[in-house]
Amino acid sequence: MIFRIRFAKYGVVKFIGHLDVMRYFQKAVRRSGLPIKYSQGFNPHQLMVFAQPLGVGVTSDGEYMDIETEDTDFEGNALSAEKVREILGGALTEGFEIVSIRQIPWQEGTKHPENAMSLVAGADYIMSLKDGYTLHAKKDSDLITSVEELQKKLQVFLERDSIVVSKKSKSGERDMDIKPYIYEASVTDNDKIPEFMCEDTVSASCSCLGIVHADIYTPGVRFFFRLAAGSAVNIKPELVLEAFLEFCGIEYEELAFQIHRANMYSDVALRKGL
Amino acid sequence: MRKLALSDEILMSVDKSARYIGHEVNAIWKDLDKIDIRFCMCFPDVYEVGMSHIGIQILYEMFNRREDTFCERVYSPWPDLDKLMREHNIPLFALESQQPIKDFDFLGITLQYEMCYTNVLQILELSQIPIFSKERTWEHPIVIGGGPCTYNPEPLADFFDIFYIGEGETVYDLLLDTYKEYRKNGRSRHDFLVAASQIEGLYIPELYDVEYNDDGTLKSFIPREGAPEKIKRQVVADMSDTVYPEKPVVPYIRAVQDRVALEIQRGCIRGCRFCQAGMIYRPLRERSLEFLKKYALAMINSTGYEEITLCSLSSSDYTKLAELMDFLINEMGKRRINISLPSLRIDAFSLDVMSRVQDVRKSSITFAPEAGTQRMRDIINKGLDEETILNGASEAFKAGWDKVKLYFMLGQPFELDSDVEGIPHLADKIAMAFYDTVPKSERRGKVQVTISTSYFVPKPFTPFQWAAQITPEEYLRRKTLLMDTLKQEHNYKSIKYNWHDSNTSILEGLLARGDRRVGKVIYEAYKGGCLFDAWTDYFDMKKWEQAIERAGIDMDFYTTRERSTDELLPWDFIDTGMTKAFMKREYEKARKGQTTKNCREGCGGCGCNSWTTGVCIEA
Ligand code: SF4
Ligand code: SF4
């Protein structure tokens, strides 16, 4: 059986890197007694696939992993999403939390369904200005003070023909037009969540799953992005924000923002979660 | 979730910030309002090293079983964080509560190797606790040292309030109870230390006056205020009825020992004359099979580790090893848990076990003959002869192994050039054994024999405690001799040679057998910027040389000088149970090349039978 688990990562464990998170879950599965399947070979490993690494320091309500299990637990009871949640959830420590689990329909012997990693196409992010920081103008620029103004600027920014940034990769830096990969963007300074991030219908007091563990900071300024993600093109939100603030003549400070991943999608247009 | 002591900004700018956040699986948390004693356990090296140490986990478990005590952990901040903490004046904090250690009742520091001594001072200074014991008041924690280095605590005497000599499982309760009583009754810190000195196994350095002769040797070592003349080492009598962690703390980041550690026994029967561990943990005491089975399963279930390792000094001597291995191979196999084996004596049994739990093609077999000739192995009482080594190697080659590691020491007492030359000769014979046993068609290439030599450091409480350490120049000469001899061996292309750095070993020699005056070197070295000296990248011999000069210490006096067996040694006040007469006898026998039986073949009369436990009373 294949289960797709959506989990949150928040609080102090945001400082744990991706490889260590993977090792954490491998241990949690062993502690829990979940009948996970193993690969063949001299060094069998658990059949567990993570959708997308999360950077150190970033919190999330929308991490995904697939696990492949036996059909029954050790007592012979049939496994179900609820059961997996109960077993594995009990072995997690503070900062890791199962948001939801669903079983991926699959008949053993038939073609393996696409895994979470290959499905990722987009992701939502919140970038919150942290305590002790302000947005301040670069030399020779006027400071944009109100969020309304920022929102207007953001529209102008997005409507440009191209948004060229220099993107670092293993093979060095290169210029890239990221405009096609920014699907949504918005800024607020109140507790409202932009429409595009609401998981059901739009409501002023949104309680989307995606923001449950997003820390709230005194300045209140929050940027929201929906960006391309996955193995083909992956746009980091800090790249977009830096370009935008640059465009506004505002100093970009890397540590001024807490990044939170709200969710990931397999089809951005359809807002289809993983 | 607790607030962290370090800001996001700091944590985002240092390497491996997960070292500092605590909250690991199985970490303990207690309501601070409901406890009386706050104890911080410290391993003065980086987190990944310290978290690998089973001793700390045992004591963590033991202290936290007390309802009135909350034991937390701390490790050495890496230099990147060290710098930031100083810049921002952030006091060092314990991982669990993230609160400053300076507000704790106790800071317990385990001393596992000499090259961590500057890190001890770093811990104190970053904690904002006065480095010198005499400057501390009730405002500061009681700083207590434990671990193997306390068998000569003298170089650190000025920095510690108390040393705990021996195994931690025994008298800590008494110490904590005494502490509580003295605090409740408003007694002075000094009064408390005097009271602590009455507890067996506790050494309070400030209660001892030291005088020196004109030639620099120790003249007298006299206790004051009723402190005992001899400090009796603490020993756990029943290793199967004592505390052991069922739920060890599991780090988020990969520790050096990323596995469950099962201590199967303590002590060693073999009595190699250079070996401090073999002497100070006597007598050998095994844990029962039931105990080990229970804890193996409990720890695997509570941690989720995918590997378990046995630890002990000489696992092959565990009498029920075959049964234990059967149990583990069966139970761990079911759970897909790997078993990693400590170095076993190579014989048919161990090769069989090893081939069942590891990939023969990838792993290597290890011998630690420690000396290249039989003459020299008799001197050090290493009960391992050439025939056994060659037979073991041939068996291993037949079973598919083709990598062999050999460990030796250079500079042990009475070593001749011919003994040094014996090392490559032996390696060559092993390589030869490979080509003789494995037909060409079955070889996957050349055999790989690796020789490693370390530079012998005489240690307290061994028969070689009086011996001269050879000079670094002499070590290098012997190393070169070894290398030159190696080049002439028939199979030299199959043999690799690694050698240990000479600088750290000579310093280790100074710190291992130093007296109180050597504390000045440690202080000067630390103030001169030495830190993480056990790390090659950070070790700086120049700075140490400068420190030695500033402290006005004569290195040779402590390292290359042979002591008379009548000399009062700085550590003579410790009673390990092993008699000085035994050590002298062993030193004499070494000189004559005579061997001593191991404890199971026949008691060597070391004196440890006074503990009436373990191998001394085996039927
Ligand atoms: S076998 Fe020898 S070297 Fe090894 S622990 Fe025992 S006494 Fe020490
Ligand atoms: S008293 Fe005898 S048996 Fe006991 S540890 Fe000493 S030598 Fe071994």
Side-chain angles (χ1 to χ4, degrees):
Chain A
M1 293 169 111
I2 300 174
F3 294 96
R4 181 155 302 150
I5 301 173
R6 176 176 177 184
F7 66 94
K9 182 189 176 202
Y10 60 94
V12 307
V13 304
K14 73 182 179 189
F15 293 108
I16 299 164
H18 181 61
L19 289 176
D20 292 324
V21 168
M22 291 180 13
R23 293 180 343 106
Y24 172 85
F25 273 100
Q26 287 157 8
K27 289 194 177 83
V29 164
R30 272 191 297 267
R31 283 196 299 273
S32 74
L34 191 71
I36 196 163
K37 281 196 177 171
Y38 284 79
S39 65
Q40 307 294 317
F42 199 90
N43 282 314
H45 59 265
Q46 298 177 348
L47 294 181
M48 181 188 279
V49 176
F50 285 77
Q52 173 99 343
L54 188 69
V56 172
V58 182
T59 58
S60 175
D61 276 301
E63 297 307 291
Y64 289 85
M65 65 175 187
D66 288 352
I67 54 169
E68 201 171 319
T69 69
E70 306 292 348
D71 293 346
T72 55
D73 67 14
F74 293 119
E75 271 116 49
N77 307 312
L79 274 188
S80 63
E82 253 331 287
K83 191 93 194 147
V84 171
R85 184 179 189 133
E86 191 185 305
I87 299 174
L88 182 58
L92 298 185
T93 46
E94 202 179 344
F96 291 103
E97 198 175 290
I98 296 175
V99 176
S100 60
I101 303 192
R102 70 188 178 94
Q103 191 184 340
I104 305 295
W106 176 51
Q107 207 45 58
E108 203 139 346
T110 63
K111 190 171 166 288
H112 210 282
E114 265 195 276
N115 67 31
M117 192 193 294
S118 58
L119 282 172
V120 179
D124 285 352
Y125 296 95
I126 304 174
M127 291 186 75
S128 311
L129 189 64
K130 287 166 115 170
D131 293 355
Y133 292 94
T134 52
L135 295 179
H136 52 271
K138 284 186 165 178
K139 262 212 288 289
D140 312 323
S141 302
D142 295 327
L143 182 59
I144 302 170
T145 44
S146 77
V147 163
E148 288 71 31
E149 261 181 281
L150 272 176
Q151 181 67 43
K152 269 187 218 141
K153 266 283 204 208
L154 192 53
Q155 286 322 310
V156 180
F157 175 73
L158 295 172
E159 277 158 20
R160 294 193 304 172
D161 292 340
S162 67
I163 301 173
V164 176
V165 299
S166 92
K167 198 170 186 276
K168 281 195 200 87
S169 72
K170 279 178 209 122
S171 47
E173 263 184 48
R174 66 193 168 92
D175 282 348
M176 180 183 181
D177 178 11
I178 57 171
K179 180 172 161 149
Y181 307 114
I182 307 175
Y183 305 130
E184 301 277 359
S186 174
V187 56
T188 67
D189 65 350
N190 52 35
D191 54 10
K192 285 216 182 77
I193 303 298
E195 268 176 47
F196 76 83
M197 268 191 54
C198 280
E199 299 201 346
D200 36 9
T201 43
V202 190
S203 65
S205 57
C206 177
S207 59
C208 293
L209 287 176
I211 62 161
V212 175
H213 294 109
D215 293 328
I216 304 288
Y217 295 90
T218 325
V221 178
R222 292 197 282 181
F223 290 88
F224 300 83
F225 298 107
R226 173 165 298 163
L227 308 171
S231 44
V233 186
N234 190 57
I235 304 294
K236 289 187 169 175
E238 52 272 44
L239 197 70
V240 181
L241 185 59
E242 185 176 0
F244 172 61
L245 292 183
E246 167 78 16
F247 175 73
C248 300
I250 296 174
E251 200 81 58
Y252 174 74
E253 287 175 89
E254 211 186 317
L255 295 174
F257 294 91
Q258 174 62 48
I259 308 172
H260 178 79
R261 181 144 71 194
N263 205 355
M264 283 190 265
Y265 304 94
S266 59
D267 187 321
V268 187
L270 295 175
R271 268 204 212 166
K272 224 168 127 231
L274 284 183
Chain B
M1 203 163 272
R2 273 82 69 192
K3 206 179 158 318
L4 296 179
L6 301 171
S7 66
D8 280 14
E9 285 76 3
I10 288 183
L11 287 165
M12 289 301 284
S13 59
V14 297
D15 188 34
K16 297 200 183 147
S17 45
R19 285 167 176 161
Y20 313 111
I21 62 174
H23 291 80
E24 303 98 322
V25 171
N26 296 337
I28 286 173
W29 174 251
K30 292 192 179 185
D31 184 344
L32 294 173
D33 294 333
K34 296 204 180 105
I35 51 152
D36 300 323
I37 299 173
R38 299 192 67 179
F39 200 112
C40 190
M41 224 359 148
C42 169
F43 192 109
D45 205 324
V46 74
Y47 179 85
E48 299 92 301
V49 173
M51 280 298 284
S52 303
H53 184 64
I54 182 69
I56 295 249
Q57 300 255 15
I58 293 177
L59 294 180
Y60 185 72
E61 168 81 21
M62 181 185 82
F63 284 124
N64 282 318
R65 280 191 191 173
R66 277 180 72 114
E67 247 175 55
D68 63 352
T69 304
F70 183 18
C71 177
E72 308 184 38
R73 295 160 297 138
V74 70
Y75 305 93
S76 306
W78 197 243
D80 57 353
L81 179 62
D82 173 292
K83 186 165 167 279
L84 290 170
M85 290 179 77
R86 288 172 202 271
E87 265 171 40
H88 298 273
N89 196 29
I90 301 166
L92 186 60
F93 53 91
L95 289 179
E96 279 76 0
S97 66
Q98 298 276 318
Q99 290 176 353
I101 293 163
K102 62 178 173 188
D103 300 332
F104 279 50
D105 298 292
F106 287 92
L107 169 59
I109 304 178
T110 183
L111 303 162
Q112 296 290 323
Y113 32 84
E114 290 81 6
M115 298 316 285
C116 74
Y117 286 180
T118 55
N119 281 46
V120 170
L121 303 196
Q122 177 215 28
I123 293 280
L124 292 171
E125 191 167 70
L126 287 180
S127 299
Q128 304 174 358
I129 297 169
I131 286 184
F132 291 101
S133 159
K134 60 173 189 281
E135 288 165 16
R136 292 180 204 136
T137 68
W138 268 145
E139 295 289 296
H140 309 108
I142 300 287
V143 180
I144 179 161
C149 292
T150 60
Y151 288 92
N152 176 22
E154 288 304 273
L156 294 170
D158 292 343
F159 313 121
F160 282 83
D161 303 319
I162 304 178
F163 287 102
Y164 184 120
I165 314 290
E167 296 167 358
E169 293 101 322
T170 63
V171 296
Y172 262 119
D173 271 337
L174 215 59
L175 176 67
L176 299 195
D177 291 342
T178 309
Y179 175 83
K180 246 167 89 168
E181 187 194 316
Y182 274 67
R183 290 304 312 243
K184 203 173 85 202
N185 298 335
R187 305 285 297 272
S188 72
R189 198 174 197 265
H190 181 76
D191 286 352
F192 163 68
L193 291 174
V194 171
S197 77
Q198 297 305 313
I199 299 173
E200 202 180 87
L202 300 189
Y203 166 53
I204 286 79
E206 68 167 59
L207 299 180
Y208 293 77
D209 291 326
V210 183
E211 281 183 77
Y212 301 95
N213 295 310
D214 291 341
D215 65 359
T217 56
L218 210 56
K219 184 174 175 197
S220 63
F221 192 89
I222 299 167
R224 270 187 287 112
E225 302 183 57
E229 253 171 61
K230 287 263 178 184
I231 307 290
K232 195 163 180 207
R233 161 192 161 227
Q234 293 305 294
V235 169
V236 176
D238 185 351
M239 289 293 287
S240 305
D241 180 22
T242 180
V243 54
Y244 203 77
E246 284 189 42
K247 295 175 160 190
V249 181
V250 188
Y252 287 118
I253 54 176
R254 196 188 284 274
V256 176
Q257 287 282 338
D258 188 37
R259 50 188 73 86
V260 161
L262 191 64
E263 187 196 31
I264 59 174
Q265 57 187 357
R266 206 171 281 172
C268 180
I269 59 170
R270 308 245 144 219
C272 305
R273 291 178 179 132
F274 57 85
C275 176
Q276 193 189 35
M279 299 288 167
I280 61 175
Y281 293 116
R282 285 180 171 218
L284 170 91
R285 289 147 291 154
E286 299 191 342
R287 295 191 196 264
S288 73
L289 212 49
E290 291 63 49
F291 181 97
L292 296 177
K293 286 177 178 176
K294 174 182 156 207
Y295 281 94
L297 292 182
M299 289 193 293
I300 281 293
N301 291 337
S302 70
T303 59
Y305 275 121
E306 62 173 335
E307 192 166 308
I308 183 167
T309 185
L310 306 184
C311 49
S312 83
L313 290 172
S314 171
S315 302
S316 293
D317 293 326
Y318 182 66
T319 45
K320 301 191 187 73
L321 189 62
E323 278 166 87
L324 179 63
M325 287 313 301
D326 281 344
F327 170 82
L328 289 177
I329 288 174
N330 181 26
E331 288 295 325
M332 299 303 148
K334 275 193 252 171
R335 294 170 172 77
R336 294 174 194 268
I337 307 291
N338 301 322
I339 302 170
S340 80
L341 289 174
S343 42
L344 294 173
R345 256 200 326 282
I346 302 299
D347 55 23
F349 166 75
S350 62
L351 289 171
D352 173 56
V353 169
M354 283 160 66
S355 64
R356 284 158 74 192
V357 303
Q358 49 189 229
D359 190 346
V360 171
R361 302 164 65 97
K362 287 202 191 108
S363 62
S364 53
I365 56 161
T366 303
F367 293 97
E370 307 293 0
T373 60
Q374 196 53 46
R375 187 194 89 88
M376 197 60 211
R377 284 192 294 272
D378 288 345
I379 288 173
I380 62 177
N381 202 40
K382 186 93 228 178
L384 186 61
D385 59 31
E386 188 167 298
E387 202 190 324
T388 312
I389 297 173
L390 292 178
N391 284 344
S394 300
E395 289 300 317
F397 295 147
K398 274 184 220 153
W401 273 275
D402 58 8
K403 295 188 205 61
V404 182
K405 286 189 193 152
L406 301 171
Y407 290 98
F408 298 95
M409 273 188 245
L410 290 179
Q412 299 194 85
F414 319 118
E415 184 177 63
L416 304 173
D417 281 1
S418 54
D419 298 312
V420 177
E421 290 158 359
I423 294 173
H425 293 341
L426 179 61
D428 188 62
K429 284 184 197 157
I430 292 174
M432 198 67 96
F434 176 80
Y435 297 113
D436 286 348
T437 30
V438 185
K440 226 176 188 148
S441 56
E442 286 168 30
R443 293 179 202 158
R444 281 179 287 133
K446 278 207 273 292
V447 64
Q448 287 176 41
V449 181
T450 308
I451 300 173
S452 300
T453 62
S454 60
Y455 173 1
F456 175 60
V457 181
K459 292 277 170 99
F461 293 106
T462 66
F464 292 164
Q465 65 175 358
W466 295 283
Q469 186 172 6
I470 59 170
T471 62
E473 297 73 36
E474 178 58 19
Y475 173 71
L476 294 178
R477 188 190 70 81
R478 293 188 197 183
K479 182 206 88 187
T480 310
L481 172 64
L482 196 162
M483 199 131 78
D484 292 344
T485 315
L486 175 61
K487 284 193 193 124
Q488 287 155 36
E489 299 294 348
H490 185 72
N491 295 297
Y492 82 95
K493 283 193 172 141
S494 304
I495 306 171
K496 246 186 40 205
Y497 177 32
N498 300 324
W499 58 90
H500 196 264
D501 172 53
S502 61
N503 286 329
T504 44
S505 301
I506 195 78
L507 276 179
E508 215 181 292
L510 167 70
L511 300 173
R513 291 193 295 171
D515 53 34
R516 281 194 186 187
R517 295 169 296 189
V518 172
K520 189 133 196 262
V521 178
I522 302 168
Y523 182 77
E524 290 293 340
Y526 172 68
K527 285 292 169 185
C530 294
L531 199 60
F532 285 101
D533 297 303
W535 294 72
T536 335
D537 290 356
Y538 285 93
F539 177 72
D540 187 342
M541 190 60 189
K542 275 247 154 52
K543 286 185 186 158
W544 274 96
E545 280 165 355
Q546 290 161 1
I548 290 166
E549 205 177 306
R550 279 199 301 275
I553 287 292
D554 173 12
M555 188 83 169
D556 295 340
F557 175 81
Y558 294 99
T559 55
T560 57
R561 178 176 67 95
E562 180 173 357
R563 281 94 165 143
S564 139
T565 49
D566 301 327
E567 185 175 324
L568 180 61
L569 300 171
W571 52 90
D572 274 348
F573 70 93
I574 294 173
D575 172 15
T576 66
M578 198 170 63
T579 62
K580 208 166 187 179
F582 170 76
M583 286 185 277
K584 281 187 193 170
R585 206 158 65 226
E586 284 294 292
Y587 194 29
E588 266 323 296
K589 283 172 95 175
R591 198 188 302 275
K592 296 189 194 126
Q594 297 170 350
T595 58
T596 297
K597 287 183 172 147
N598 75 45
C599 295
R600 283 218 172 96
E601 292 164 351
C603 170
C606 77
C608 287
N609 54 352
S610 63
W611 300 108
T612 54
T613 179
V615 67
C616 312
I617 55 164
E618 262 174 25

